[in-house]
Amino acid sequence: MKVYRYEKNPIIKPQDVRPYIDGFQVIGTFNAGTARYKDETILLLRVAEKPINNNPEKIKAAYMNPETNKIEVREFDKKDKNYDFSDSRVIKDNIKKDGSFKYLTSISYIRIARSKDGKQFSVEDFPFIFPEGELEAFGIEDPRVSQIGDVYYIYFSGVSKFGIGEVMIKTKDFRNKENCGMIFSPENKDVVIFPEKINGKYYALNRPASKSVGDPEIWISESDNLLYWGNHKHLIGLRKNKWDNGRIGAGAVPIKTSKGWLELYHGADKSDKYCIGALLLDLNDPSKIIARCNNPILAPRMNYETDGFFGNVVFTCGAICEDNIIKLYYGVSDTSMAYAEFHLEDVLNFINVN
Amino acid sequence: MKVYRYEKNPIIKPQDVRPYIDGFQVIGTFNAGTARYKDETILLLRVAEKPINNNPEKIKAAYMNPETNKIEVREFDKKDKNYDFSDSRVIKDNIKKDGSFKYLTSISYIRIARSKDGKQFSVEDFPFIFPEGELEAFGIEDPRVSQIGDVYYIYFSGVSKFGIGEVMIKTKDFRNKENCGMIFSPENKDVVIFPEKINGKYYALNRPASKSVGDPEIWISESDNLLYWGNHKHLIGLRKNKWDNGRIGAGAVPIKTSKGWLELYHGADKSDKYCIGALLLDLNDPSKIIARCNNPILAPRMNYETDGFFGNVVFTCGAICEDNIIKLYYGVSDTSMAYAEFHLEDVLNFINVN
């Protein structure tokens, strides 16, 4: 399938952004949610900052102390056998050995980036949403935005020692905001809320991750008020021997087309290579799957997609469809933001919907 | 604390119940939810059945095929190194090694048991709730009942290869019932819904279990309609070096007292010994903890509590408070039902609330 990658990619890089936390450096500006507001394209940018570390024998973890509301740093010796430091993103407990983590090596929050042309962005110097309270002590990650009427619902993973759940805020102007609490309990992430009611109900895709049984797959849930969710159903699973055999999750907020709801989702294989694919869901009942791509629409190929803090990742949290062109904003290698375009018709052909 | 154990315990045993599934035997009649209906005490009894197996070299797994709605059996060779058979309840994948399971060795469903005196029960010969659909293919477990007005809401774990979530039905007469869908997405279990609105909202305790980070602890969530839930908050956690240092979860539906909501919960230590303890939550805001017991109210001690399919377990899904006496129904060793009584005042003293 023909995909145009913007030749000036990446469009936002960590070097472009000044750190907000004293003694920290910006290591990631990625996985941004997307909205159109007045004459601007807005990115809700995930910014990851890491404690500056000049000692190669140490590893540092960062978190917010919910009692003081201050960022704190904990230092680990790389030789400490109690911990596993093999994943650049996390510090794991070597005693538990169940794959769970104990700390993150960076802390993420959300800044706003604004653009008139959708390609050149200026990033605000301060956070728009910063971790608050005990459920966000390890940071907030991967925001998506659903515009419903004149309200923008922004929701993201709240990460803490208690788990990873989906937290929501709402805003009308990207300046003032109101908290809506945790809308999906742990472990859940990769939530996307459909931008309108369907047969009288709101719907959301989401991605539970279970301890006892079950793979990281996409579920669908319904709501009356966007705050409380239920009637949870399993929607779509992994595929053996394909690019999405490791984990899948919703990506961009679903796009309404004449053929169905187009969902640009992410799939990773067992070696954690993340690609972007497409699903088409029934317009009147999004729990019905009309089509699913066999191959990815976008796979890591360019240097900025293959190399970075966590390489071989393309990951979208938002796309805009205008004049039948899909404008895709996507995070690359947990490091930067990139931009691509393709024709809506081409995607529909690619997933065999004509 | 003084606890009276009924001398004819256990009150319901597997031998008392005829199997419902052809070729199966009943191995468990336990973890029953409790309700008062007309002049009867009703137990919503978890019945576990297991395929009869005459070959000591084999292990059998049971599940419902959601496409045919028929129970199917899969046989495993005990020497098969791909699987771990060390836990009598589950068959684990030896390749994954993350502690997750692949099959259950029994399948559970719910029968009704009725009693006039609250101690002698007659168990119906057929299921009241039987696994239905792909989210219940491995069975339904550990029901609780909340009576709100003249409606009884019955909710239980739906177990399948997709995860463990909480499913609800409602009934007015314990004969006809209506499905309410999955109210808590995976992984979640040990849900108890408060029996009335508090300051205009329904509340539920619940127990998420996460893959990436977080311990199995008690959360609290709110709702407008009992079907959709949100504003999830972490309520209370494990305690190091105590009897509840491994996992905790709500037990009986909260009991309203003049001092607060009394919650009889379960805690297990790291060797999976399950005890019953008590929490007191604020009458007007159940997300506030007033008191928590230091020691268990009930710990496995009698033979029927220490020996069985999965020994050393006392586990309640329901209690009734009448004339300031708490009548506790509790499952023992994942095998039978037992009955105990204690004074409400004694529990309140035990947790230092006077």
Side-chain angles (χ1 to χ4, degrees):
Chain A
M1 201 192 103
K2 206 175 136 190
V3 173
Y4 159 75
R5 282 171 166 94
Y6 183 44
E7 43 301 308
K8 293 187 185 161
N9 272 344
I11 56 170
I12 306 176
K13 305 182 295 294
Q15 304 90 288
D16 303 337
V17 175
R18 232 173 307 171
Y20 173 75
I21 308 166
D22 271 354
F24 279 53
Q25 60 185 128
V26 175
I27 57 155
T29 55
F30 61 120
N31 297 3
T34 310
R36 290 285 289 157
Y37 172 68
K38 293 185 175 166
D39 62 341
E40 292 179 328
T41 300
I42 286 192
L43 294 183
L44 279 295
L45 188 67
R46 172 176 170 190
V47 176
E49 298 195 12
K50 190 175 165 158
I52 292 171
N53 181 9
N54 295 318
N55 186 342
E57 283 166 17
K58 303 281 182 189
I59 292 221
K60 288 179 173 179
Y63 53 91
M64 196 263 303
N65 181 333
E67 278 162 32
T68 59
N69 259 335
K70 296 236 165 83
I71 300 290
E72 294 181 5
V73 173
R74 188 171 158 182
E75 206 173 76
F76 295 84
D77 196 313
K78 270 191 186 167
K79 286 184 202 124
D80 189 338
K81 294 237 161 55
N82 291 312
Y83 299 98
D84 169 355
F85 305 105
S86 60
D87 183 327
S88 59
R89 303 167 299 181
V90 298
I91 296 170
K92 289 184 183 170
D93 193 325
N94 243 343
I95 300 153
K96 271 192 169 178
K97 283 209 176 296
D98 61 357
S100 69
F101 68 80
K102 241 183 131 57
Y103 289 99
L104 298 185
T105 56
S106 63
I107 185 162
S108 292
Y109 61 87
I110 295 161
R111 284 200 210 187
I112 289 176
R114 296 169 190 272
S115 171
K116 299 281 187 206
D117 68 0
K119 291 173 182 165
Q120 286 193 300
F121 283 87
S122 70
V123 182
E124 289 182 355
D125 266 341
F126 45 89
F128 178 56
I129 318 173
F130 202 73
E132 264 183 42
E134 62 176 13
L135 299 182
E136 301 175 3
F138 290 171
I140 54 177
E141 306 182 350
D142 302 347
R144 275 83 169 181
V145 191
S146 296
Q147 181 183 359
I148 299 177
D150 63 346
V151 180
Y152 295 85
Y153 295 88
I154 304 171
Y155 37 96
F156 42 84
S157 304
V159 186
S160 75
K161 67 177 180 180
F162 300 118
I164 304 172
E166 193 80 1
V167 175
M168 188 162 81
I169 67 120
K170 62 182 180 180
T171 184
K172 284 189 171 186
D173 56 11
F174 293 95
R175 298 195 189 280
N176 304 293
K177 57 186 198 282
E178 192 183 313
N179 289 329
C180 303
M182 185 173 275
I183 57 171
F184 283 90
S185 59
E187 179 167 342
N188 213 319
K189 51 163 65 171
D190 298 323
V191 174
V192 298
I193 298 177
F194 288 73
E196 61 185 67
K197 278 193 176 176
I198 301 164
N199 281 324
K201 296 282 181 198
Y202 294 111
Y203 287 88
L205 306 180
N206 59 97
R207 211 287 298 283
S210 289
K211 188 182 178 75
S212 306
V213 61
D215 290 314
E217 298 181 328
I218 301 175
W219 287 57
I220 186 163
S221 308
E222 60 179 56
S223 175
D224 279 339
N225 64 3
L226 302 165
L227 301 174
Y228 304 148
W229 294 87
N231 202 12
H232 307 286
K233 293 176 180 170
H234 180 265
L235 181 68
I236 197 162
L238 307 180
R239 293 183 291 191
K240 272 187 190 169
N241 307 321
K242 277 201 187 281
W243 58 278
D244 50 3
N245 67 357
R247 52 182 61 227
I248 55 173
V253 170
I255 294 165
K256 195 175 190 179
T257 77
S258 60
K259 307 295 168 107
W261 291 100
L262 177 67
E263 170 55 24
L264 300 171
Y265 75 100
H266 68 263
D269 62 14
K270 294 204 187 291
S271 66
D272 279 336
K273 177 182 172 187
Y274 280 74
C275 299
I276 296 170
L279 285 179
L280 200 72
L281 305 175
D282 190 280
L283 274 184
N284 296 307
D285 179 359
S287 71
K288 286 188 188 152
I289 297 154
I290 299 174
R292 180 180 189 175
C293 62
N294 275 316
N295 297 305
I297 291 173
L298 200 76
R301 181 164 60 82
M302 309 299 275
N303 280 345
Y304 54 84
E305 294 167 345
T306 55
D307 300 336
F309 180 61
F310 193 80
N312 266 321
V313 173
V314 292
F315 188 98
T316 185
C317 293
I320 290 167
C321 187
E322 276 169 345
D323 303 326
N324 292 317
I325 305 278
I326 299 203
K327 302 172 174 187
L328 180 75
Y329 295 91
Y330 64 107
V332 288
S333 294
D334 281 13
T335 303
S336 302
M337 279 305 295
Y339 176 75
E341 282 180 3
F342 43 87
H343 282 271
L344 175 57
E345 209 184 310
D346 288 352
V347 197
L348 295 177
N349 282 331
F350 189 70
I351 55 178
N352 295 313
V353 179
N354 301 298
Chain B
M1 200 192 102
K2 206 175 137 189
V3 173
Y4 159 74
R5 282 170 166 93
Y6 184 44
E7 45 295 318
K8 292 187 185 162
N9 271 344
I11 55 169
I12 306 175
K13 306 182 296 293
Q15 305 89 288
D16 303 338
V17 175
R18 233 173 308 171
Y20 172 75
I21 309 166
D22 270 354
F24 279 54
Q25 60 186 111
V26 174
I27 58 155
T29 55
F30 60 120
N31 297 3
T34 311
R36 289 285 289 157
Y37 172 68
K38 293 185 176 165
D39 62 342
E40 292 178 329
T41 300
I42 285 192
L43 294 183
L44 279 295
L45 188 67
R46 172 175 170 190
V47 176
E49 297 195 12
K50 190 176 165 156
I52 292 171
N53 180 8
N54 296 316
N55 186 342
E57 283 166 17
K58 302 281 182 189
I59 292 224
K60 288 179 174 178
Y63 52 92
M64 194 263 304
N65 182 333
E67 277 160 33
T68 58
N69 260 336
K70 296 232 166 83
I71 300 290
E72 294 181 5
V73 173
R74 188 171 158 182
E75 205 173 79
F76 295 84
D77 196 313
K78 271 192 186 167
K79 287 184 200 125
D80 188 338
K81 294 238 160 57
N82 291 312
Y83 299 98
D84 169 356
F85 305 105
S86 60
D87 183 327
S88 60
R89 302 166 299 179
V90 298
I91 296 170
K92 289 184 184 171
D93 193 325
N94 244 343
I95 299 153
K96 272 194 169 178
K97 282 205 176 300
D98 61 356
S100 68
F101 68 79
K102 241 181 131 57
Y103 289 99
L104 298 184
T105 55
S106 63
I107 185 162
S108 291
Y109 61 88
I110 296 161
R111 286 201 209 187
I112 289 176
R114 298 169 189 271
S115 171
K116 299 279 186 205
D117 68 0
K119 291 174 182 165
Q120 285 193 300
F121 283 86
S122 70
V123 183
E124 288 182 354
D125 266 341
F126 44 89
F128 178 55
I129 317 173
F130 202 73
E132 264 184 41
E134 62 175 14
L135 299 182
E136 301 175 4
F138 290 171
I140 55 177
E141 305 182 351
D142 301 348
R144 275 84 170 181
V145 192
S146 296
Q147 181 183 357
I148 299 177
D150 63 347
V151 180
Y152 295 85
Y153 295 88
I154 304 171
Y155 37 95
F156 43 83
S157 303
V159 186
S160 74
K161 67 176 181 182
F162 300 118
I164 304 172
E166 193 80 1
V167 175
M168 188 161 81
I169 67 121
K170 61 183 181 179
T171 183
K172 285 189 169 186
D173 56 10
F174 293 94
R175 298 195 191 281
N176 304 293
K177 57 185 197 282
E178 193 183 312
N179 288 329
C180 303
M182 185 173 275
I183 57 171
F184 283 89
S185 58
E187 179 168 344
N188 213 320
K189 52 163 64 172
D190 297 323
V191 174
V192 298
I193 298 177
F194 288 72
E196 60 184 67
K197 278 193 175 176
I198 301 164
N199 281 323
K201 298 282 180 198
Y202 293 111
Y203 287 88
L205 307 180
N206 58 97
R207 212 286 298 283
S210 290
K211 188 183 178 76
S212 306
V213 60
D215 290 313
E217 299 180 329
I218 301 176
W219 288 56
I220 186 163
S221 308
E222 60 178 57
S223 175
D224 279 337
N225 63 3
L226 302 166
L227 302 174
Y228 305 148
W229 294 87
N231 202 13
H232 307 286
K233 293 175 180 170
H234 179 265
L235 181 68
I236 197 162
L238 307 180
R239 293 183 291 192
K240 273 187 189 167
N241 306 320
K242 277 202 187 280
W243 58 279
D244 50 3
N245 67 357
R247 52 182 61 227
I248 54 173
V253 170
I255 293 165
K256 196 176 188 178
T257 78
S258 60
K259 306 293 168 103
W261 290 100
L262 177 67
E263 171 55 24
L264 301 171
Y265 75 100
H266 68 263
D269 63 15
K270 294 205 187 292
S271 67
D272 280 335
K273 176 182 172 186
Y274 280 74
C275 299
I276 295 170
L279 285 179
L280 200 72
L281 305 175
D282 189 279
L283 274 184
N284 296 307
D285 178 0
S287 70
K288 287 188 187 151
I289 297 154
I290 298 174
R292 180 180 188 175
C293 62
N294 275 316
N295 297 305
I297 292 173
L298 200 76
R301 181 162 61 83
M302 308 299 275
N303 281 345
Y304 54 83
E305 294 166 344
T306 55
D307 300 336
F309 180 61
F310 192 80
N312 265 320
V313 173
V314 293
F315 188 101
T316 183
C317 293
I320 290 167
C321 187
E322 276 169 344
D323 303 326
N324 292 318
I325 305 278
I326 300 206
K327 301 173 174 186
L328 181 75
Y329 295 91
Y330 64 107
V332 288
S333 295
D334 281 12
T335 304
S336 302
M337 279 305 296
Y339 176 75
E341 282 180 2
F342 43 87
H343 282 272
L344 175 57
E345 208 183 309
D346 288 351
V347 197
L348 295 176
N349 282 330
F350 189 69
I351 55 177
N352 295 314
V353 178
N354 301 297

